[in-house]
Amino acid sequence: MTLRSENPPHVQTLHVYRANALTVINGANLGDALSFGAELDLDDTYELHQTARSERLTVTAGPGGTLIAAPATTLGRAGHTIHIDSCLTLMTPMGGTTEIVVLVEVDANGDVEAVYALPLAVMTPRTDYTLVGIEVERARTRFAEVACVSFTRGTRITMASGAQKPVEELQHGDMVLTRDDGPRAVTWVGRSTARAVGDFAPICIKAGALHNEGDLYVSPDHRLFIYQRSDALGAGRHEVLVRARHLVNGDTIVQEPGGFVDYFQLLFDDHQIIYAEGIAAETLLVDTRTRAALPAELNAKLAQTLPGHEGRRHMKFEVGEALLSHPDAAALLRRASTR
């Protein structure tokens, strides 16, 4: 049987606003909509329209490190190139900051088709957002950090010996137990600290929710590997990969914003499924989105040393949000994995 999934591998759905959802209400460009970083002026104040709604821009990896609008996208035109233009920092009157990644869609002739705002934290209408920072070089890195799958400090990883080791104590060369390839050495351990807001707020999978031994905190797009004894999702197969964000139920699986969070990324020569708090979860996948988050000295070696991140068998197992639109998909999967 084949997997019936609306999201093929290497596809990411971004919740973005059209540029005209954000307009200048005070400043040099009064009345103008959000635009490219090069056309913006610091100290302009923007407001999100009261009726604005985020829409889904679905992208996939393109040639030469580009992003391409995927066939499943509901915004933009499939096949068009999506450029990461800039990262903007906006400040509210209370002193809080919000970051926006500006994305630009261009057609086959290189002409601009649309501009989109990808907020990295929740934005609210009738709030003043003053532009205090415009960064071009950092934009791709910031976008990559959102795409990187990460574990939080304290997550216990199963080692090749069977021992449980906190993720922050892992080092290059440590042998970790993988689902598909047995003991494998860690290639790199990344660490970043972020404000726990929006797409940076971790998902908590409470102990027992998916047969995990302890609370497991992961980044929202982290994929968990689940074996269903019965195909409860109607995915067409027993083995599935599900994103943590799609399992949030407000009870046993919740998103926990607030404060700061330490994230750790584990990289292997191949994209692997390992065991965290006793359940199977993926490690960092190197692709167009995430490469910018890696250190330059490692990135330069990827072509020779990391061929195993393309075409991994388990990447075909991902199911999209539509198949998880159950009142409590987590409970459904928990039962399916034991029956």
Side-chain angles (χ1 to χ4, degrees):
M1 300 180 72
T2 57
L3 177 66
R4 297 191 300 274
S5 170
E6 71 277 16
N7 282 341
H10 305 289
V11 164
Q12 182 179 19
T13 297
L14 308 172
H15 296 270
V16 303
Y17 291 104
R18 298 174 189 262
N20 59 11
L22 283 157
T23 54
V24 178
I25 59 170
N26 185 33
N29 297 303
L30 182 64
D32 288 354
L34 188 73
S35 187
F36 317 104
E39 296 183 349
L40 305 180
D41 287 303
L42 294 176
D43 297 324
D44 276 0
T45 299
Y46 289 80
E47 184 179 77
L48 178 67
H49 292 184
Q50 187 172 2
T51 59
R53 296 291 182 271
S54 64
E55 299 179 67
R56 297 186 179 196
L57 175 64
T58 305
V59 298
T60 188
T66 60
L67 296 172
I68 302 294
T73 190
T74 57
L75 186 63
R77 181 170 296 183
H80 280 184
T81 300
I82 308 296
H83 291 287
I84 301 172
D85 174 76
S86 55
C87 182
L88 312 179
T89 301
L90 305 165
M91 181 175 291
T92 66
M94 299 299 292
T97 57
T98 298
E99 290 181 305
I100 289 177
V101 174
V102 177
L103 304 173
V104 179
E105 176 186 352
V106 300
D107 62 20
N109 297 319
D111 296 324
V112 174
E113 188 74 17
V115 177
Y116 307 113
L118 172 64
L120 302 186
V122 176
M123 299 187 70
T124 55
R126 294 183 175 177
T127 298
D128 290 353
Y129 291 97
T130 301
L131 183 61
V132 296
I134 305 171
E135 297 183 86
V136 175
E137 296 297 328
R138 186 167 170 259
R140 184 168 288 276
T141 299
R142 202 66 174 132
F143 180 80
E145 289 173 350
V146 177
C148 284
V149 298
S150 309
F151 301 98
T152 63
R153 176 181 294 277
T155 301
R156 295 175 297 176
I157 305 298
T158 301
M159 308 302 290
S161 65
Q164 303 294 305
K165 193 171 185 178
V167 65
E168 65 270 20
E169 295 182 10
L170 293 180
Q171 299 179 10
H172 170 75
D174 282 353
M175 300 301 291
V176 171
L177 180 64
T178 69
R179 180 186 181 275
D180 298 310
D181 298 318
R184 282 293 183 271
V186 174
T187 299
W188 174 72
V189 180
R191 174 182 173 180
S192 59
T193 300
R195 289 180 58 219
V197 294
D199 280 341
F200 288 105
I203 305 292
C204 174
I205 301 160
K206 296 182 180 179
L210 292 173
H211 303 293
N212 43 312
E213 297 171 359
D215 291 352
L216 174 62
Y217 288 83
V218 294
S219 53
D221 278 322
H222 210 131
R223 286 172 289 208
L224 308 173
F225 183 93
I226 298 172
Y227 179 83
Q228 313 170 92
R229 293 182 183 275
S230 59
D231 182 14
L233 293 180
R237 66 181 314 125
H238 294 285
E239 299 169 313
V240 294
L241 279 175
V242 295
R243 294 180 187 261
R245 70 163 71 245
H246 295 159
L247 296 177
V248 171
N249 57 19
D251 181 18
T252 61
I253 301 181
V254 296
Q255 189 161 29
E256 295 194 357
F260 290 83
V261 58
D262 287 335
Y263 277 130
F264 294 84
Q265 303 84 35
L266 296 181
L267 180 66
F268 293 78
D269 283 353
D270 302 281
H271 183 249
Q272 296 288 355
I273 303 296
I274 62 173
Y275 298 93
E277 297 298 340
I279 60 174
E282 70 170 331
T283 59
L284 179 60
L285 171 70
V286 177
D287 63 8
T288 300
R289 301 164 299 163
T290 59
R291 284 188 68 161
L294 300 176
E297 63 273 16
L298 180 61
N299 221 326
K301 300 177 183 178
L302 289 179
Q304 293 77 32
T305 62
L306 299 174
H309 287 246
E310 298 294 334
R312 289 292 280 175
R313 182 176 62 89
H314 55 248
M315 290 303 297
K316 300 176 183 178
F317 300 169
E318 183 178 353
V319 295
E321 188 173 3
L323 288 183
L324 295 163
S325 58
H326 183 275
D328 191 350
L332 184 71
L333 286 168
R334 186 178 186 278
R335 291 193 298 269
S337 65
T338 56
R339 294 178 179 175

